[in-house]
Amino acid sequence: MAADTLVIERLNRTFSSPAGDVAALSNIGLKVKKGEFITLIGPSGCGKSTLLKIVAGLDSDYSGTVLLNDKPIEGPSIEKGFIFQEPRLFPWLTVEKNIAGNLSLKDPKVRAKVDELVALVRLKGFEKSYPRELSGGMAQRVSIARALLRNPEVLLLDEPFGALDAFTRAHLQEVLLDIWQKNRTTMLFVTHDLDEAVFLAERVVIMNPRPGHIRTVLPIDLPFPRKRASQSFQELRRKVLSEFEKVEEPAVDHDHGAGI
Ligand SMILES: Nc1ncnc2c1ncn2[C@@H]1O[C@H](COP(=O)(O)OP(=O)(O)O)[C@@H](O)[C@H]1O
Ligand SMILES: [Mg+2]
C-alpha cells in the first residue's frame, strides 16, 4: 500500500462578508495516496478552488487538518506545483526561460532538466519562442513544465484546460497522463467537465455547494489508456452524472411540490 501523501480531515473554510457568512468548505475529509490521480468535480461555487488554494498553502484561514507527507501545510513551497486556468507566463521571456524561472540555464543541471521538461510537454523546437508565438494549448504546456521544474510532490491543477477547445483539451489530457505515468506525481485536478474527470482520474471526488462538501468519491477502475467511446467508460460517466442529478432533485421538489 502506498503512503498517504495528502491527509485532509474535518476541514472547514468560511468566508465572512457584510451579506453574511459563506461556508465555502464544510467538513472535508480526503486522503490521497502517493502517486494517485484525483479529479475534483462540482458546480461553480462548491469550493474546488478554495480547497486547492488551501493545499497549495495560499490560504491558511481554515480549521481542521491538512497534512502533506505528515507535515502541516505552511505556505507555498516547491513541494506543491500550481497550474491555473490561464498559463500566466512572462511575455518577455522565452519558453525555456519561463520554465527555468529564477534558475540559470547556464547551470548544466538546470539546462538538462529544462530540456527534459520541454521534451516531456512536447515543445521541442519552441525553446526560444515567446508566449505570444504560442497557441493556448502550447502555453499551458509551458506552465505545466514550469510547475514540474522542482519535482513537486503534488501538482494542483485548477481547471487547467477549461479555456481550451475540445481537441486541444483532449491532447493535453493525453500529455498530462503521459507525464503522470512517467513521473508518478500525485495529481489533484479540478474540473467541471465530466468526461475530463472520468478520463483522467483513479478516483473522482464529487463536490456540491452550499455548503461546499464532498458528496461522494467514485473509483474509476479502468485501465489506461482509456477509450471514451467504450461501454465501461460511458457507464462510469453516467454514474458520476447521476450523483449530480440526485442533488438537484430535492431543490426541484421543494419548489414545485413533488409527489403530486
Ligand atoms: N475570497 C473570497 N471571499 C469571499 N467569498 C469567497 C472567496 N473565495 C471564494 N468565496 C466563496 O466561496 C465559495 C466557493 O468558491 P470557490 O472555491 O471559488 O468555488 P469553485 O472553485 O468550486 O467554483 C463561493 O460561494 C465563493 O463565492
Ligand atoms: Mg474555481
Side-chain angles (χ1 to χ4, degrees), residues 64-209:
T65 306
V66 186
L67 303 175
L68 185 65
N69 288 332
D70 303 320
K71 292 188 297 281
I73 307 269
E74 283 172 2
S77 72
I78 57 171
E79 293 167 287
K80 290 127 22 197
F82 204 102
I83 296 165
F84 299 89
Q85 182 165 343
E86 68 294 354
R88 299 192 182 188
L89 304 178
F90 294 112
W92 58 88
L93 294 181
T94 59
V95 163
E96 60 184 19
K97 285 190 176 156
N98 264 292
I99 296 173
N102 58 5
L103 302 183
S104 169
L105 283 162
K106 293 196 184 104
D107 177 340
K109 274 202 208 123
V110 176
R111 179 77 259 172
K113 182 70 188 175
V114 169
D115 287 345
E116 178 199 319
L117 289 169
V118 164
L120 193 63
V121 298
R122 306 178 195 175
L123 282 173
K124 267 200 168 138
F126 293 93
E127 292 87 341
K128 309 272 189 248
S129 300
Y130 286 87
R132 65 173 178 276
E133 300 170 289
L134 307 176
S135 68
M138 292 163 86
Q140 197 55 303
R141 280 183 275 152
V142 177
S143 74
I144 294 172
R146 180 178 57 185
L148 289 169
L149 180 73
R150 295 170 203 250
N151 302 314
E153 185 67 43
V154 57
L155 214 52
L156 306 164
L157 306 106
D158 196 354
E159 305 195 19
F161 308 150
L164 305 173
D165 65 81
F167 291 105
T168 308
R169 176 184 278 240
H171 176 233
L172 261 70
Q173 289 166 359
E174 308 270 358
V175 171
L176 190 66
L177 281 176
D178 182 40
I179 291 169
W180 174 62
Q181 277 162 344
K182 283 183 181 135
N183 291 9
R184 286 290 158 181
T185 311
T186 308
M187 301 278 191
L188 220 52
F189 185 111
V190 165
T191 179
H192 54 237
D193 183 296
L194 254 153
D195 270 314
E196 184 163 77
V198 175
F199 186 73
L200 293 173
E202 294 178 290
R203 285 192 294 154
V204 176
V205 175
I206 301 172
M207 293 180 68
N208 282 134

Side-chain angles (χ1 to χ4, degrees), residues 44-45 47-50 53 85 158-159 190:
S44 185
K48 304 181 297 296
S49 294
T50 303
K53 278 182 205 151
Q85 182 165 343
D158 196 354
E159 305 195 19
V190 165

Side-chain angles (χ1 to χ4, degrees), residues 29-30 36 38-39 202-206 214-219:
L30 182 67
E36 204 176 0
I38 299 280
T39 51
E202 294 178 290
R203 285 192 294 154
V204 176
V205 175
I206 301 172
I214 294 179
R215 175 173 176 88
T216 187
V217 180
L218 267 182

